[in-house]
Coordinates of all heavy atoms in Angstrom, one line a residue:
F265 N 5.1 148.1 -59.3 CA 6.5 147.8 -59.2 C 7.3 149.0 -59.8 O 6.8 149.6 -60.8 CB 6.9 146.5 -59.9 CG 6.5 145.3 -59.2 CD1 5.5 144.4 -59.6 CD2 7.2 144.9 -58.0 CE1 5.2 143.3 -58.9 CE2 6.9 143.7 -57.3 CZ 5.9 142.9 -57.8
P266 N 8.5 149.3 -59.2 CA 9.2 150.5 -59.7 C 9.9 150.2 -61.0 O 11.0 149.7 -61.1 CB 10.2 150.7 -58.6 CG 10.4 149.4 -57.9 CD 9.1 148.7 -58.1
I267 N 9.2 150.5 -62.1 CA 9.7 150.2 -63.4 C 9.6 151.5 -64.3 O 8.5 152.1 -64.3 CB 8.9 149.1 -64.1 CG1 9.2 147.8 -63.2 CG2 9.2 148.9 -65.5 CD1 8.3 146.6 -63.6
G268 N 10.7 151.8 -65.0 CA 10.6 152.9 -65.9 C 10.1 152.6 -67.3 O 9.1 151.8 -67.4
R269 N 10.8 153.1 -68.3 CA 10.2 152.8 -69.7 C 10.5 151.4 -70.1 O 11.4 150.7 -69.6 CB 10.9 153.7 -70.7 CG 10.5 155.2 -70.5 CD 11.2 156.0 -71.5 NE 10.2 156.5 -72.5 CZ 10.5 157.4 -73.4 NH1 11.7 158.0 -73.4 NH2 9.6 157.8 -74.3
L270 N 9.6 150.9 -71.0 CA 9.8 149.6 -71.6 C 10.3 149.7 -73.0 O 9.6 150.4 -73.8 CB 8.4 148.9 -71.5 CG 7.9 148.8 -70.1 CD1 6.5 148.1 -70.1 CD2 8.8 148.0 -69.2
L271 N 11.4 149.1 -73.3 CA 11.9 149.1 -74.6 C 11.6 147.8 -75.3 O 11.9 146.8 -74.9 CB 13.5 149.3 -74.6 CG 14.0 150.4 -73.6 CD1 15.5 150.5 -73.8 CD2 13.3 151.7 -73.7
I272 N 10.9 148.0 -76.5 CA 10.5 146.8 -77.2 C 11.5 146.6 -78.4 O 11.7 147.5 -79.2 CB 9.1 147.1 -77.8 CG1 8.1 147.3 -76.7 CG2 8.7 146.0 -78.8 CD1 6.8 147.8 -77.2
A273 N 12.1 145.4 -78.4 CA 13.1 145.1 -79.4 C 12.5 144.0 -80.3 O 12.1 143.0 -79.9 CB 14.4 144.6 -78.8
T274 N 12.4 144.4 -81.6 CA 11.9 143.4 -82.6 C 13.1 143.1 -83.6 O 14.0 143.9 -83.7 CB 10.7 143.8 -83.4 OG1 11.1 144.8 -84.3 CG2 9.6 144.3 -82.5
N275 N 13.0 141.9 -84.2 CA 13.9 141.7 -85.3 C 13.3 142.3 -86.6 O 12.5 143.2 -86.5 CB 14.2 140.2 -85.4 CG 13.0 139.3 -85.7 OD1 12.0 139.8 -86.2 ND2 13.1 138.1 -85.4
A276 N 13.6 141.8 -87.8 CA 13.0 142.4 -89.0 C 11.5 142.3 -89.1 O 10.9 143.0 -89.8 CB 13.6 141.7 -90.2
N277 N 10.9 141.4 -88.3 CA 9.5 141.4 -88.2 C 9.0 142.5 -87.2 O 8.9 142.3 -86.0 CB 9.0 140.0 -87.7 CG 9.5 138.9 -88.7 OD1 8.9 138.8 -89.8 ND2 10.5 138.2 -88.4
D278 N 8.8 143.6 -87.8 CA 8.8 144.9 -87.0 C 7.4 145.4 -86.8 O 7.2 146.6 -86.6 CB 9.7 145.9 -87.6 CG 9.2 146.3 -89.0 OD1 8.3 145.6 -89.6 OD2 9.8 147.2 -89.6
I279 N 6.3 144.6 -86.9 CA 5.0 145.1 -86.8 C 4.8 145.9 -85.5 O 4.1 147.0 -85.5 CB 3.9 144.0 -86.9 CG1 2.5 144.5 -86.8 CG2 4.2 142.8 -85.9 CD1 1.4 143.5 -87.1
L280 N 5.4 145.5 -84.4 CA 5.2 146.2 -83.2 C 6.0 147.5 -83.2 O 5.5 148.5 -82.7 CB 5.7 145.3 -82.0 CG 4.8 144.1 -81.7 CD1 5.5 143.1 -80.7 CD2 3.4 144.6 -81.1
A281 N 7.2 147.5 -83.7 CA 8.0 148.7 -83.8 C 7.3 149.7 -84.6 O 7.2 150.9 -84.3 CB 9.4 148.4 -84.3
R282 N 6.6 149.3 -85.7 CA 5.9 150.2 -86.6 C 4.7 150.7 -85.9 O 4.3 151.9 -86.0 CB 5.5 149.5 -87.9 CG 6.7 149.4 -88.9 CD 6.3 148.8 -90.2 NE 6.1 147.4 -90.2 CZ 4.9 146.8 -90.4 NH1 3.8 147.5 -90.6 NH2 4.8 145.5 -90.3
F283 N 4.0 149.9 -85.1 CA 2.8 150.4 -84.4 C 3.2 151.5 -83.4 O 2.5 152.5 -83.3 CB 2.1 149.2 -83.6 CG 1.1 149.7 -82.7 CD1 -0.2 150.0 -83.2 CD2 1.3 149.9 -81.3 CE1 -1.2 150.5 -82.4 CE2 0.3 150.5 -80.5 CZ -0.9 150.7 -81.0
F284 N 4.3 151.3 -82.6 CA 4.6 152.3 -81.6 C 5.1 153.6 -82.3 O 5.1 154.6 -81.7 CB 5.6 151.7 -80.6 CG 4.8 150.8 -79.6 CD1 4.8 149.5 -79.7 CD2 4.1 151.4 -78.6 CE1 4.1 148.7 -78.9 CE2 3.3 150.6 -77.7 CZ 3.3 149.2 -77.8
A285 N 5.6 153.5 -83.6 CA 6.0 154.7 -84.3 C 4.9 155.4 -84.9 O 4.9 156.6 -85.0 CB 7.1 154.3 -85.3
T286 N 3.8 154.7 -85.4 CA 2.8 155.3 -86.2 C 1.4 155.1 -85.7 O 0.5 155.9 -86.1 CB 2.8 154.6 -87.6 OG1 2.4 153.3 -87.5 CG2 4.2 154.7 -88.3
G287 N 1.1 154.2 -84.8 CA -0.2 153.9 -84.4 C -1.0 152.9 -85.3 O -2.1 152.6 -85.1
E288 N -0.3 152.5 -86.4 CA -0.9 151.6 -87.3 C -0.4 150.2 -87.1 O 0.9 150.0 -87.0 CB -0.7 152.0 -88.8 CG -1.5 151.0 -89.7 CD -1.4 151.4 -91.1 OE1 -0.4 150.9 -91.8 OE2 -2.3 152.1 -91.6
Y289 N -1.3 149.3 -87.0 CA -0.9 147.9 -86.8 C -1.2 147.2 -88.1 O -2.4 147.0 -88.5 CB -1.8 147.3 -85.6 CG -1.4 145.9 -85.1 CD1 -0.2 145.7 -84.6 CD2 -2.3 144.9 -85.1 CE1 0.2 144.5 -84.0 CE2 -2.0 143.7 -84.6 CZ -0.8 143.4 -84.1 OH -0.4 142.2 -83.6
S290 N -0.2 146.8 -88.8 CA -0.4 146.3 -90.2 C 0.5 145.1 -90.4 O 1.7 145.2 -90.2 CB -0.3 147.3 -91.3 OG 1.0 147.7 -91.4
R291 N -0.1 144.0 -90.8 CA 0.6 142.8 -91.0 C 1.6 142.9 -92.3 O 1.2 143.4 -93.3 CB -0.4 141.7 -91.3 CG 0.2 140.3 -91.4 CD -0.9 139.3 -91.7 NE -2.1 139.5 -91.0 CZ -3.2 138.7 -91.1 NH1 -3.1 137.7 -91.8 NH2 -4.2 139.0 -90.4
G292 N 2.8 142.4 -92.2 CA 3.7 142.3 -93.3 C 4.0 140.9 -93.6 O 3.4 140.0 -93.1
E293 N 5.0 140.7 -94.5 CA 5.5 139.4 -94.8 C 6.3 138.9 -93.6 O 7.0 139.7 -93.0 CB 6.4 139.4 -96.0 CG 5.7 139.6 -97.3 CD 4.9 138.3 -97.7 OE1 5.6 137.3 -98.0 OE2 3.7 138.3 -97.8
V294 N 6.2 137.6 -93.3 CA 7.1 137.0 -92.3 C 8.5 136.9 -92.8 O 8.8 136.4 -93.9 CB 6.6 135.7 -91.8 CG1 7.5 135.1 -90.7 CG2 5.2 135.7 -91.4
H295 N 9.5 137.5 -92.1 CA 10.9 137.3 -92.4 C 11.5 136.3 -91.5 O 11.2 136.3 -90.3 CB 11.7 138.6 -92.2 CG 11.1 139.8 -93.0 ND1 11.5 140.0 -94.3 CD2 10.3 140.8 -92.7 CE1 10.9 141.1 -94.8 NE2 10.1 141.6 -93.8
F296 N 12.4 135.4 -92.1 CA 13.0 134.4 -91.3 C 14.4 134.9 -90.9 O 15.2 135.3 -91.7 CB 13.1 133.1 -92.0 CG 11.7 132.6 -92.4 CD1 11.2 132.7 -93.7 CD2 10.8 132.2 -91.4 CE1 9.9 132.3 -94.0 CE2 9.5 131.8 -91.6 CZ 9.1 131.9 -92.9
T297 N 14.6 135.0 -89.6 CA 15.8 135.7 -89.1 C 16.6 134.7 -88.2 O 16.3 133.6 -88.0 CB 15.4 136.9 -88.2 OG1 14.9 136.4 -87.0 CG2 14.4 137.8 -88.9
L298 N 17.7 135.3 -87.6 CA 18.5 134.6 -86.6 C 17.8 134.3 -85.3 O 18.3 133.6 -84.5 CB 19.8 135.3 -86.4 CG 20.8 135.5 -87.5 CD1 22.0 136.4 -87.1 CD2 21.2 134.2 -88.1

Side-chain angles (χ1 to χ4, degrees):
F265 281 108
I267 294 174
R269 290 180 108 170
L270 301 177
L271 316 187
I272 297 169
T274 71
N275 61 24
N277 297 288
D278 61 351
I279 179 169
L280 291 168
R282 284 185 283 116
F283 172 80
F284 284 97
T286 65
E288 185 179 85
Y289 190 60
S290 67
R291 186 186 317 184
E293 286 286 296
V294 181
H295 300 279
F296 300 106
T297 73
L298 296 177

